[in-house]
Amino acid sequence: MTQSMHTPFGQADCESELKVLKSGYSKLYFDETPFNSAAIEPETYLIIGRRGSGKTALAQYFSFQKVIDNPIYIDVDEPAIYQQVLSDMAARASESREIAIPRLKKVWEYVMWCVIFGHTRGESVVIAKACDETCSTGRVSYLINSVINSFLKMLSEADDKGIDTLIEQRLNDDRVDAAKAEVLKIADRRPIIIAIDTLEKYDVHNDSLMNAMAALVQCAADFNLNYRDEGVHLKVFMSGEVFPYLEEEVVQNPLKFIKDPVYLLWRPKDLLRLISWRFYNYLQEHSLLRDESKKEIRWDNYHEVLEKMWIPYFGEYIINARGLKEQTFAYVLRHTQMRPRQLILLCNAIAKRALKASRFPLFNDADIVSAVKEEESRLASEIINSFSSVHPQVSTIVDALMKIPMIFTGNELDKRASQSASEWPHGSYSPARFRRLVAELGIVGRVRRRNDEAGYIDADFEYSRRERLPITHRDECVIHPMFYTRFNVDFNCPARVMPFSTEREGDEAER
């Protein structure tokens, strides 16, 4: 396992780390993340996370986890390969959502079995016979593309009444039934895990594609219920930016089809342990560990990790750009939206400055403050970009927040909203929609607790919740620190905004 000198905290995305580390990636993966055990539970079939929250890394974990012994792992990635044909298929299914989703659900079930057959065809002649010309031996995403495309061609020749019959014939073919039975025999010996990723960005106004995604969720719910006890486990990863729209507007009967999803919502203490584990591995490999870090570290103990792996290198306190003293980890973390990718980017930027000044692996205030200042605009742009399909023209819409005060009353958003009216798609603007948008992006949060004496403000942000964060004109609101540079924020308050809970001064980053 070798990380570059310029990325001592690892790559910011899992795909790059897999290319660099290959099989050594499993050594870098932090086993103590809070989602591992929940995600591998047989009842779990739906995992939801925003961009950079670790969906791809968690999918890779299934390939080397130790809970399920010697599994057959099938990774369905690169969904962009079959997105267009999937959208075309969904458009052909029906104009009525009530008809289209059940049809597409059956198509997804057939697709899942084709994926399994394609992966296990060498195990059984019966399974091989069930693999038609669409079950290629190439990459799984191309297989899915071929299967859906074959459905599309078949349905283009059928009238509306005949579509259901054709789908049922495919799904209940005798060869398919026989192959399923063979697969379940294999799964009894070697459980099968299928991890299917979906696109990070979807146009929520594309009814066909949203129907297809809702059908996948509904298929996963039934598929998991039917086959998890027989050793076949389906894990679907959904975009946290898009999922609320599926749940609120598209999925039929959410209480039935959305059961106990795992949300990739990170806590400060877990992010500290994750980033410290990565740094520890790098320093150990390059014989750079300080004496404090060479002692045994209990990685499940937040305080011990802080004392032995963070403070010796970053220092305990920092004087920030506004001349305020605060805990170093709290300072770095509050300029993120609590996602591993963002924290890795910031820490690598800090390390780059220290390397240039020949201080590495020690970091001073200037390294930390300057790096955070430089990177926060990039992080803010990444967040805005991740919603560009959900909210057309989002970048120019949120420009209405330029020079907004750091802390303000909710009715300020209504004033700002009117300045964005011309940027919205025709007929879609309203002050309520503007408030919802800035909350959804995590730009604006709602004050929960304020301690002027200690100098901090606790705020709730939607990205850390499973549900929406409603903001009214009466609420006391704040701008997230990540967006200070992006919007040239007016610092009308000397306090620090903490996008996580603080019970008392000096304990900002623990909870």
Side-chain angles (χ1 to χ4, degrees):
M1 182 183 69
T2 302
Q3 289 283 8
S4 165
M5 178 183 296
H6 300 290
T7 56
F9 294 91
Q11 302 291 329
D13 62 281
C14 182
E15 292 87 351
S16 296
E17 287 193 325
L18 289 169
K19 290 177 182 177
V20 172
L21 302 177
K22 299 181 174 60
S23 60
Y25 175 74
S26 61
K27 297 179 181 178
L28 184 66
Y29 188 86
F30 187 52
D31 289 333
E32 300 288 338
T33 60
F35 315 113
N36 292 350
S37 58
I40 203 66
E41 286 289 330
E43 293 78 12
T44 298
Y45 61 90
L46 188 58
I47 300 164
I48 302 159
R50 292 193 177 192
R51 183 187 292 183
S53 61
K55 296 190 296 297
T56 304
L58 185 56
Q60 284 299 314
Y61 162 75
F62 293 132
S63 67
F64 52 79
Q65 52 75 42
K66 302 291 190 263
V67 179
I68 297 176
D69 187 40
N70 192 29
I72 296 172
Y73 174 65
I74 306 173
D75 183 16
V76 184
D77 59 359
E78 299 182 300
I81 291 172
Y82 56 84
Q83 178 190 356
Q84 184 57 54
V85 69
L86 176 62
S87 183
D88 293 342
M89 172 70 195
R92 181 69 181 89
S94 175
E95 292 183 3
S96 166
R97 180 162 282 167
E98 289 71 21
I99 297 174
I101 292 178
R103 282 178 176 170
L104 292 166
K105 177 174 172 287
K106 293 177 182 178
V107 172
W108 273 118
E109 183 180 352
Y110 182 77
V111 167
M112 291 301 109
W113 282 113
C114 284
V115 168
I116 297 171
F117 295 161
H119 207 81
T120 58
R121 64 192 304 166
E123 302 282 331
S124 165
V125 174
V126 174
I127 296 175
K129 287 182 178 178
C131 292
D132 58 23
E133 67 277 5
T134 64
C135 289
S136 65
T137 56
R139 287 150 65 184
V140 178
S141 293
Y142 285 106
L143 187 155
I144 294 177
N145 187 81
S146 298
V147 172
I148 296 175
N149 196 43
S150 73
F151 262 104
L152 188 60
K153 291 178 180 177
M154 180 182 68
L155 299 184
S156 66
E157 302 172 0
D159 58 27
D160 189 65
K161 293 182 179 178
I163 290 178
D164 291 319
T165 300
L166 288 171
I167 294 175
E168 290 290 346
Q169 286 175 349
R170 276 285 186 101
L171 198 55
N172 297 316
D173 183 277
D174 289 343
R175 291 174 302 173
V176 171
D177 286 341
K180 287 181 186 178
E182 287 296 305
V183 165
L184 295 180
K185 290 178 184 178
I186 295 170
D188 187 52
R189 304 189 308 271
R190 293 188 64 194
I192 297 170
I193 304 174
I194 313 166
I196 179 166
D197 200 1
T198 59
L199 287 176
E200 287 190 335
K201 293 173 68 174
Y202 283 105
D203 178 2
V204 298
H205 307 290
N206 183 333
D207 288 342
S208 297
L209 203 52
M210 293 296 280
N211 288 346
M213 289 299 98
L216 175 59
V217 171
Q218 296 183 195
C219 171
D222 286 347
F223 195 97
N224 182 69
L225 186 63
N226 292 334
Y227 300 108
R228 70 191 183 198
D229 293 335
E230 300 194 60
V232 182
H233 307 277
L234 178 59
K235 312 289 183 180
V236 175
F237 290 80
M238 298 294 297
S239 161
E241 289 85 354
V242 174
F243 183 75
Y245 293 87
L246 283 175
E247 184 176 26
E248 294 165 359
E249 301 174 17
V250 190
V251 171
Q252 300 172 312
N253 196 342
L255 289 178
K256 177 181 178 182
F257 293 114
I258 301 174
K259 297 178 182 177
D260 301 318
V262 172
Y263 287 85
L264 303 186
L265 302 177
W266 289 81
R267 299 176 301 176
K269 60 174 64 178
D270 296 317
L271 286 168
L272 173 73
R273 291 158 60 223
L274 170 73
I275 202 70
S276 297
W277 168 257
R278 287 169 162 261
F279 196 35
Y280 173 85
N281 277 277
Y282 177 88
L283 296 179
Q284 184 181 53
E285 184 178 358
H286 293 83
S287 301
L288 292 172
L289 283 171
R290 303 190 73 187
D291 289 342
E292 303 96 316
S293 307
K294 292 178 181 178
K295 301 173 184 177
E296 182 181 355
I297 300 174
R298 292 177 296 167
W299 290 98
D300 60 346
N301 187 308
Y302 157 80
H303 291 288
E304 194 165 313
V305 174
L306 182 69
E307 292 293 330
K308 294 181 179 179
M309 273 309 303
W310 181 270
I311 292 176
Y313 304 95
F314 288 83
E316 185 173 5
Y317 292 98
I318 189 173
I319 302 300
N320 66 27
R322 297 168 61 202
L324 302 175
K325 181 180 179 181
E326 61 179 303
Q327 286 188 341
T328 308
F329 182 64
Y331 172 75
V332 175
L333 190 62
R334 69 186 181 88
H335 287 86
T336 75
Q337 287 192 347
M338 309 282 284
R339 304 181 205 175
R341 181 183 299 178
Q342 297 165 343
L343 186 57
I344 291 168
L345 280 168
L346 286 183
C347 288
N348 277 333
I350 293 167
K352 183 178 179 180
R353 283 185 159 272
L355 280 164
K356 190 174 181 179
S358 301
R359 283 189 289 270
F360 185 85
L362 304 180
F363 314 118
N364 66 15
D365 286 14
D367 296 329
I368 298 170
V369 173
S370 298
V372 168
K373 182 72 172 176
E374 288 179 1
E375 293 297 313
E376 67 181 17
S377 291
R378 289 181 60 207
L379 296 182
S381 295
E382 171 76 358
I383 295 298
I384 293 170
N385 173 270
S386 68
F387 281 90
S388 59
S389 293
V390 177
H391 299 290
Q393 302 298 319
V394 62
S395 182
T396 52
I397 289 173
V398 297
D399 280 346
L401 297 175
M402 293 298 293
K403 295 187 177 180
I404 193 170
M406 184 186 84
I407 183 167
F408 55 91
T409 305
N411 58 10
E412 175 70 20
L413 292 177
D414 293 340
K415 301 174 187 176
R416 299 286 177 150
S418 63
Q419 300 173 27
S420 74
S422 62
E423 304 297 336
W424 289 76
H426 180 70
S428 64
Y429 163 76
S430 74
R433 284 179 179 268
F434 182 82
R435 288 198 303 271
R436 178 169 170 171
L437 182 152
V438 296
E440 191 173 339
L441 270 66
I443 298 173
V444 176
R446 189 175 61 201
V447 173
R448 183 204 303 186
R449 183 189 303 109
R450 183 170 178 175
N451 188 328
D452 291 326
E453 182 179 348
Y456 67 79
I457 300 170
D458 281 358
D460 289 324
F461 287 85
E462 186 168 312
Y463 62 78
S464 288
R465 298 158 54 98
R466 298 188 178 192
E467 64 281 346
R468 297 282 191 184
L469 179 71
I471 294 178
T472 72
H473 67 279
R474 296 181 298 274
D475 288 325
E476 192 173 28
C477 303
V478 290
I479 297 294
H480 192 289
M482 181 194 294
F483 294 92
Y484 286 169
T485 300
R486 172 67 171 79
F487 297 117
N488 192 20
V489 167
D490 173 21
F491 295 108
N492 62 335
C493 175
R496 296 154 289 154
V497 172
M498 298 295 181
F500 38 79
S501 176
T502 63
E503 294 296 333
R504 61 186 185 279
E505 172 67 4
D507 195 24
E508 294 100 335
E510 181 173 357
R511 290 174 172 77

